[in-house]
Amino acid sequence: MPSATFAKPHTGTVTLWSGTLIPTAREAPSDAESPSHILLSRAGYIRKLGAGIYDYLPLGWRVLRKVSQIVREEMDAAGATELLLPALIPTELYAGTRRDVDYGDLLFKLTDRKGGTYALGPTHEEPITELVKGSVTSYKQLPINLYQIQTKYRDEARPRSGLLRGREFIMKDAYSFHTAVDGPGGLGETYDKMHQAYSNVFKRCGLDFTPVEAEAGPIGGSASHEFMVNAESGEDTILKCPATGYAANVEKCEIGPRNAPSKGYFAGDPSGALDEVHTPGCPGIEDVAKFTKVKPQNMLKSVLFHVKSTPEQLEKFGEEYILAVVRGDHDVNEGKVRDAAGVGGIELADPAKAAAVGFAIGFISPRAARNADGSAKKGVLLLVDRDVALSYDDAANKPRFWMTGGNKKDYHVKHFNWQRDLGTDPLNATPHKPDTHPAAGLRSTDNFIIVADVRNALAGDPSPRAAGTALVTGRGIEVGHIFKLGTKYSDAMGFKILNAQQQSQSVIMGCYGIGVSRAMAASVEQNHDADGIIWPVGIAPYHVIIQTLKPEHIPTAKDLAARLGAAGIDVLIDDRDERPGVKFKDADLLGIPVRLVLGDKALAENAVEFKARNSKDKPVNIPTEQIVDHVVTALT
Ligand code: ATP
Ligand code: MG
C-alpha cells in the first residue's frame, strides 16, 4: 500500500537550463548603475517592468526563496509564528494612527468601484494590531510574536539600484505584543531574541554586516537597531568606535566630550567690532563663505525649529521655538535637538510664521533669541553645539569670533562673540535638565540656553564610549530594522487588555523588519567581481552548475546531477548547445558556487573538471566517483 511519508529527506533540485528562463545579456539596462542592479539584470535574475517594479525570474525567485527560508527557520526558532495578512488595507484602519497622513506620498492609495479607499500596505502595524486586538483580551494570551513574508508597496520618491530601493519589494515583518517591557515575557526579552535571530539570518545569508543603534524614525518608540550590510555603495553612513565596537547610524551617533569650558574666558575683552556685511541673495553657508571669504568653520549655522505641541500645551505655553546653532560646516541633527530640548516632536519652522516672531530665516543669529532689551525671548530655547560654544580661544589666548546672521534679510555679521554679544558664555550657562523641563514648557525656565551635542557625527569625532579614540565611518545598506514600539499603535487603536491585577492596560509592542529582496541585492553588492556574481552558498540559486560541451554528454550530466541531488545539492545543468567560451562566461556571470565541466578529455580519464567560483585556482580534474564528496566538502 502506498503511504505518504511523514518526513522526506531533503533532495536537491535539478533543473535543465534549456527548460527554464535564464536570459543572460552582455549589456546592462541603461539605468543600472549599482553592481547588484547591473549583474542581477545581466545574469537573468530580475527584469524591470516599471520604475521600482521588477519581475523575479526563476533564478531570482530561487534566491529569494532561500533567503525567505532562512528567515522562516530563524523566526520560528526564536518563537515567532508565521501568518499572512492582506496587502490591500482599507483606509479606515488608519483613522487612529493617521498613517495615511504621516506616510504622505509614500503610500500607494487606491479607490474601489464603490468609492471605498484603500492603501497598498507599506508595512503592517495597523492590520496586525486590529487582528490581535480582536482575538486577545487577557495578559494570559501574551506575549505573542507573529510574522509574515509579503510584498510591500511604497511610492518611493527615487526608486533606484534595482531591488535595493523598489516600489514593490519583499519584506519579512514581525510584530510582538506584551504586557511589560522588562522581565520574562517582556518586550525587552523578545527584542533581544530578535536581535540574535537577525544576526543568525544575515550570517547564514553570508553577509558582512554591522548592527547599529538607530533612531526610531516615523514609526516612533524608544529604541531601535538597524542591521547594515557593509558596502561602499550603501546609502547610509555608519559610525563606529574601533575600540569598543559601538556603532550607530548618523541620525543617532553620539559624539564624545568636546571643548572643555574655556579657562581664559574671563581673561580677555574682545576687541573687533561687530561688523555688518551686506550679503545679498546669500542665505546659505556656502554662498556666504564664497562671498565673504570667511571659512564655514568660522561661521555659526542657526536652524530654527518649531515645537509640535498638543492643544493643551499650546494653550498653556503658546507657540514655541528652538534655535539650534552648529558650526557652518556641520549639520544639525533633528533627533538630538529634540532630545536635548526634552520635547516630544519638532519640525523646521515655517519661514513666514518665523518672520512674524522676529526670525529672518537664512540670516538668523543667536541674538534673535534675545529681546532688544537683552531679556530672553519668551518661548525660545537656544541650543548650542559644543563645537561652537566658545567665547575664548585658550590656545591662541584671545577671544573667539564667529561670523553669523545679521538678523535681517541679506545681512550677516562678522566678529560675533558669545560673551559680549549675547551676554552669556554658553559653556558657563546653567545646565539644563530636560527631565525637569515641562514637555513643551520652554518659556517656564530662564535657562534659555543649553550647550549640547546637536550635530551629526563625522569621522574623526571623539568616540562617546572610549576617551582618546576617534570615530570612523563606513557606508551601509539597511537590510533589517528592529524597533521597540511601545504603546504607539495600541493606544492609537484602543487595544487594551486585562493584566494580572485585572486592570485594563495598553499593550506594549515591538516590530521587526527584514528587507528580503534588498538583502538579495545587498549580497551581490558585497559578493561580485568583474566577471559576475559570487553567491554565498547559503543563498545561491543552485549550488552547482554542470556544463556539457557536447550534446552526447547530457545523459552523463543528468546522472551526475541525480547523485548530487540525492546529497541535497541543487544543480543547474547548462545543456545548451553553445560555444564553451559563452558557457564559461555565463557561469561566471550567474555566480553559482561550483562549476563542473564535462569535456572529452576529463571524461576519458573518468573525471570531471571542478572549479569554485570564489577561487582564482585553475580548474582541477576530480575522479567521477569522488565528485559528490568533493563538492560537499567545497560547499561546507
Ligand atoms: P529606508 O530607510 O531604506 O527607506 P526604511 O527604514 O523606511 O528603509 P523600514 O520601514 O525599516 O524601512 O522597513 C524594513 C526593511 O524593509 C528595511 O530595513 C529595508 O531592508 C526594507 N526596505 C524598506 N524600504 C525598501 C524599499 N523601498 N525597497 C526594498 N527594501 C526596502
Ligand atoms: Mg528602517
Side-chain angles (χ1 to χ4, degrees), residues 154 226 478 480-481 483:
R154 293 184 186 181
E226 287 167 350
E478 180 193 324
H481 199 166
F483 290 100

XYZ file of all heavy atoms in Angstrom, residues 154 226 478 480-481 483, ligand 2:
55
model
N 5.678 50.861 -1.570
C 5.967 52.235 -1.136
C 6.281 53.044 -2.381
O 7.153 52.663 -3.165
C 7.176 52.274 -0.181
C 6.902 51.593 1.137
C 8.069 51.741 2.100
N 7.812 50.957 3.294
C 8.624 50.872 4.341
N 9.770 51.536 4.328
N 8.308 50.140 5.381
N 19.417 49.052 13.535
C 19.397 48.709 12.117
C 20.514 47.720 11.857
O 21.580 47.810 12.466
C 19.626 49.955 11.258
C 18.438 50.879 11.224
C 18.764 52.247 10.638
O 19.958 52.554 10.423
O 17.828 53.008 10.415
N 20.781 49.238 4.666
C 19.918 48.750 5.748
C 19.124 47.539 5.265
O 18.273 47.667 4.398
C 18.970 49.879 6.182
C 18.043 49.459 7.302
C 16.897 50.446 7.521
O 17.084 51.667 7.380
O 15.794 49.962 7.825
N 17.838 45.261 7.737
C 16.911 44.887 8.797
C 16.771 46.022 9.783
O 17.660 46.876 9.893
N 15.627 46.046 10.460
C 15.387 47.126 11.411
C 14.482 46.591 12.506
O 13.413 46.059 12.210
C 14.721 48.293 10.671
C 14.836 49.587 11.403
N 14.575 50.800 10.831
C 15.194 49.847 12.679
C 14.775 51.762 11.720
N 15.149 51.200 12.847
N 12.480 47.536 16.169
C 12.013 48.679 16.963
C 11.355 48.225 18.254
O 10.581 47.266 18.227
C 10.845 49.390 16.272
C 11.117 50.153 15.044
C 10.834 49.597 13.818
C 11.570 51.455 15.094
C 11.014 50.313 12.647
C 11.749 52.179 13.931
C 11.482 51.611 12.712
Mg 14.250 51.355 8.757
